[in-house]
Each structure stands twice: as structure tokens, then as C-alpha cells.
Amino acid sequence: MPQLTSGRATRPWWTAVVSGMASYIDAAAIVSFGTAMVLYQAVLGLTPGEIGLASGGLTLGIAFGAIIGGRMGDRFGRRPVFTVTMVLIIAAALALAFAGSFPVIMTAALLLGLGTGADLPVSLSTISEAASDENRGKLIGFSHLLWAAGIIACSFLSAGVASLGKLGAQILFFHIAIVAVLVLIGRLTIPESSTWLIARDERRRGIKTVRADRASVKDLLRGSYRTPFLALLGFYALTNLAANTGGQFGSYLLVNAGGVDLQTATLIGLPFIPLGIVGALWFMKIADSSKRFTYFKVGAICWVASQLVYVVFGISLTTAIIAGLIGLVGSSFASEGIMKVWTQEQFPTLLRTTAQGTIIAVARLFAALLATVTPLLVALSPNLFYLFLAIVIAAGCGIAWKVFRTRDRHDEFDTEAQKDVVPVA
């Protein structure tokens, strides 16, 4: 059945820029929070335990926010959820900027996590529903580029304010608040997703289309949606373990297991920044083409190989550079970017943000659990730890390969308007 053009919003690139900034804010919150807690440590007398609790609160907030925001986005629309979460982020960032005690920091960290987590699924659906079959993958990939921009911008900003004490922490949180205000203003210029409005109206009027009928959370675990949903859960939760470990413990592993000094360990990532941008742009170029699954397979092999470099040759400055270069291919074509594209394409409108939010949440929780024991595992055996990462990446990519080799080009946007003549089991 031909795709309903009335379900497309105008100005898809403007929508992608504004909505994609939710990914920028997510990255900014994570990077800025870690630096700000170090700056607050001396000023407010925070203990290591309190910093750990606050950081864990941010992570848990993001995970639960993704689930809540995803479900609310399908039930009440993308626009109101995005608006509420932006207001929540602004309030939380300002509270952190003026915090004078640990209870305030802990509460604001939870709220900041809830806001940023809830933003992600609704922002991605807003982008995909404003796009067409010809540019949907590219626009979703652009949001991932903005996520990388958030990391880069806040890394440089953190370095610039590191010597300013409490003022430096406040600048980091003011940055988040100001960006969120600008994004909120931009978001108010974008109407509710026409695709979501059509699905909601069909459901209210009792019109039996796929998109109107498939709105229950249970639908994700039955029928034709169960297989891609479980596959995406497994794929992203497992591969994200390596991505999160590299981002959170890269310097720690080089220093403690590779004998590299801290300054060198922190500087080694700088040359990979432009290469990562190239990888993101390349993914945008192929995200809507018939070649993307081939790129996924190559990326999956490189993902596994990058971890095996450490297993075979040990951890050193040289192996870190080699593994980083190989791993860039994996992270560009067989990681979060392709997960987001597949998720947007595999589920109907009234389940799209629910699925995306759940997948993000589960992956964040898995990563948080591994992070709590990573130093202990590395102390036992760095080689075995990287062998473990290679195995979980291979398992995650293997799940995705088995399912999406036949479903890669499936696009629910092309079929969800059809009459739902088969009762949901």
C-alpha cells in the first residue's frame, strides 16, 4: 500500500536538528556531571560514596526515564512529552548549578536523568516520522552525530573550566540549561507528529489498521514484533557493554592494566574524535541504502576483532591505537546508529517510542551493572575481561545478523496503514 504522505511533517531537517539535540543534551549531561562532581567534591565536602550514589542516580534516572518517556510518547504524543522533559532538564540543571548539599545534588541528578532519558525515544520517533523512506536512516544517524558533538563539546568545556572550582561546575550545568531552553523554543515551532495523530484518530474512531490496533505493550512480545524487539534488546544491551566500558574505563584500563601514564591515556582519544565524526557521516551516507547490512557485517567483525587485539597482544599504547582504529568501524556500523534505525522501522507508530525507550533502558542498566564490577574483573585478568567483551559483542551481533538478514529492509511505515484483518494473538 502506498505510504501516506499526510503523515509526514514538513522541514524534516529542521525537525532532525531540534529533536536530535536531545541526544546532544544526553551526552552533555553524562560528561558534564562526572567533571562537576569532582569540582564539587572539595567545595561541598562530598564523599566518594556520595559521588558514586549521585552518578548512579543519574544513570538509573536515564534508564527509567527512557521507559517512562517512551510509553508516554506513544500514549500522549511526542510533542507534550518532549516539552515536559525539556522543562524538567532545565530545572534539574539549574538546581545542580546552585546546589549546596548532597540531598539536592542527589535529587537533581535523578531528575536530570529522568528528563534526558525520557527525551531520547520521543525525539527519535519525532525525527523518523518527519522523514521519508529516502532519508529516515540519514536523519536518525544525524542525531547520533549530535550525540558525539555533545561529548566533544563538553569534554573541551570541562577541560576549560577544570581549574575554576565551583564556578566551573556551575558553568557546565548552565550550559545544559541554556541549550535545553533553546531546544525547547525550537521544539515549540514543530507540530505534533502527523503520523502519530493519524494513528491516534484511527484508534479513537475504531478503524482497524495495524498502527491503530497495535498499541499495547504486550504486542511487543507477541506476533511479528516479538522477534525484532527481543533481537534489538539483545543486540544493543550486549554491544553497548563494550562501548560503555571504552568510554567510562578507557583511561583506567590503560593506566592500571597497560602501564600507560594518565596524561597519555587521556590524550590518546583526541585523534579518534575526527575519525569518529567521519564514521558517523559515513553511516549517514549508507543508512538508507541497500548496502547497510553489508556494512553492519563488516562492522560486527571489526567490533569483535578490536577486543581480541588486547586478548592476543595485551594492553599497551600501541594495542590501544590499533584496537581503537578497528573498533571505530564497529562502533560506526554495528552499534547504536543501526539499532536506532532498525527500531524506528520495525514497529508501528503507537509502539515506536515504547520499544525504543525499553531498548535504551535495558542497555543502560546492563552497562551500569558491568561498570560496578569492571575494576574487579580487570584486576583478576585484563585478557579474560577483553575476551568476555569479545564474546558478548559476537553474541549481540550474531543475534542481530540472524534476525535482520531477512528483516533489514522491512519498514513498518510502508505497511502500518493496512487493514488489521488478523486478530492480535
Side-chain angles (χ1 to χ4, degrees):
M1 178 175 288
Q3 196 169 323
L4 289 178
T5 56
S6 61
R8 298 285 172 254
T10 57
R11 301 189 298 169
W13 273 104
W14 172 244
T15 301
V17 170
V18 175
S19 299
M21 284 300 292
S23 296
Y24 177 99
I25 292 173
D26 173 56
I30 295 171
V31 174
S32 298
F33 192 84
T35 302
M37 289 304 100
V38 175
L39 295 174
Y40 274 160
Q41 185 173 12
V43 178
L44 301 180
L46 299 179
T47 67
E50 288 174 336
I51 293 176
L53 283 173
S55 299
L58 178 69
T59 302
L60 287 175
I62 293 173
F64 285 105
I67 293 177
I68 296 169
R71 191 62 193 143
M72 294 300 98
D74 281 334
R75 291 194 63 186
F76 302 111
R78 294 29 172 147
R79 196 170 190 261
V81 174
F82 198 106
T83 303
V84 170
T85 54
M86 277 298 142
V87 172
L88 185 60
I89 289 169
I90 295 166
L94 291 176
L96 285 165
F98 294 108
S101 65
F102 172 70
V104 174
I105 290 175
M106 186 69 204
T107 303
L110 283 167
L111 293 177
L112 182 63
L114 284 170
T116 54
D119 264 346
L120 291 174
V122 293
S123 69
L124 292 171
S125 290
T126 299
I127 294 170
S128 69
E129 290 162 7
S132 66
D133 291 344
E134 287 70 38
N135 64 6
R136 184 172 299 112
K138 181 181 295 185
L139 295 181
I140 293 296
F142 181 69
S143 74
H144 193 57
L145 184 63
L146 290 175
W147 181 81
I151 293 178
I152 296 168
C154 289
S155 295
F156 281 109
L157 183 60
S158 296
V161 304
S163 61
L164 299 180
K166 182 178 181 179
L167 176 61
Q170 291 178 320
I171 290 173
L172 291 173
F173 290 127
F174 284 145
H175 166 249
I176 294 173
I178 291 169
V179 172
V181 168
L182 295 175
V183 172
L184 176 59
I185 293 171
R187 186 64 181 89
L188 293 175
T189 69
I190 300 172
E192 180 59 83
S193 162
S194 299
T195 302
W196 181 85
L197 288 172
I198 292 172
R200 183 201 61 180
D201 290 344
E202 287 177 345
R203 185 169 180 81
R204 285 178 174 178
R205 293 158 55 194
I207 299 175
K208 296 295 183 180
T209 61
V210 171
R211 65 184 166 206
D213 286 349
R214 311 301 170 88
S216 169
V217 175
K218 295 179 181 179
D219 290 325
L220 289 175
L221 295 174
R222 58 188 178 188
S224 61
Y225 304 123
R226 178 174 54 196
T227 296
F229 178 63
L230 294 178
L232 286 165
L233 275 177
F235 165 59
Y236 188 53
L238 292 174
T239 57
N240 187 60
L241 292 177
N244 188 75
T245 298
Q248 193 170 356
F249 293 100
S251 297
Y252 177 89
L253 289 164
L254 277 173
V255 171
N256 290 279
V260 180
D261 66 272
L262 180 58
Q263 184 177 16
T264 302
T266 54
L267 292 176
I268 191 176
L270 293 180
F272 288 98
I273 291 175
L275 293 176
I277 293 174
V278 171
L281 291 171
W282 197 342
F283 176 78
M284 288 175 62
K285 182 178 178 61
I286 59 93
D288 298 296
S289 75
S290 59
K291 299 177 181 178
R292 74 181 184 193
F293 195 71
T294 300
Y295 275 88
F296 163 76
K297 290 187 287 186
V298 173
I301 294 170
C302 289
W303 245 133
V304 176
S306 67
Q307 310 305 306
L308 293 177
V309 168
Y310 293 119
V311 176
V312 176
F313 300 105
I315 302 174
S316 67
L317 183 61
T318 301
T319 56
I321 294 173
I322 295 172
L325 290 172
I326 299 173
L328 265 176
V329 182
S331 61
S332 296
F333 303 111
S335 188
E336 186 168 338
I338 191 64
M339 177 277 293
K340 290 177 177 176
V341 174
W342 278 335
T343 304
Q344 293 303 307
E345 293 178 346
Q346 297 293 317
F347 307 103
T349 297
L350 299 183
L351 283 176
R352 191 165 290 126
T353 63
T354 300
Q356 185 79 78
T358 304
I359 291 165
I360 291 172
V362 170
R364 293 291 174 99
L365 290 173
F366 268 60
L369 289 173
L370 179 62
T372 61
V373 297
T374 292
L376 295 176
L377 295 176
V378 172
L380 289 174
S381 174
N383 289 47
L384 287 179
F385 178 69
Y386 275 106
L387 179 61
F388 163 75
L389 290 181
I391 291 171
V392 297
I393 292 172
C397 289
I399 292 169
W401 173 82
K402 182 173 180 58
V403 172
F404 291 101
R405 59 176 175 165
T406 57
R407 294 186 63 97
D408 176 51
R409 303 311 298 174
H410 174 82
D411 193 342
E412 198 73 12
F413 284 94
D414 293 331
T415 60
E416 65 172 6
Q418 294 177 358
K419 295 294 183 182
D420 189 13
V421 296
V422 180
V424 178

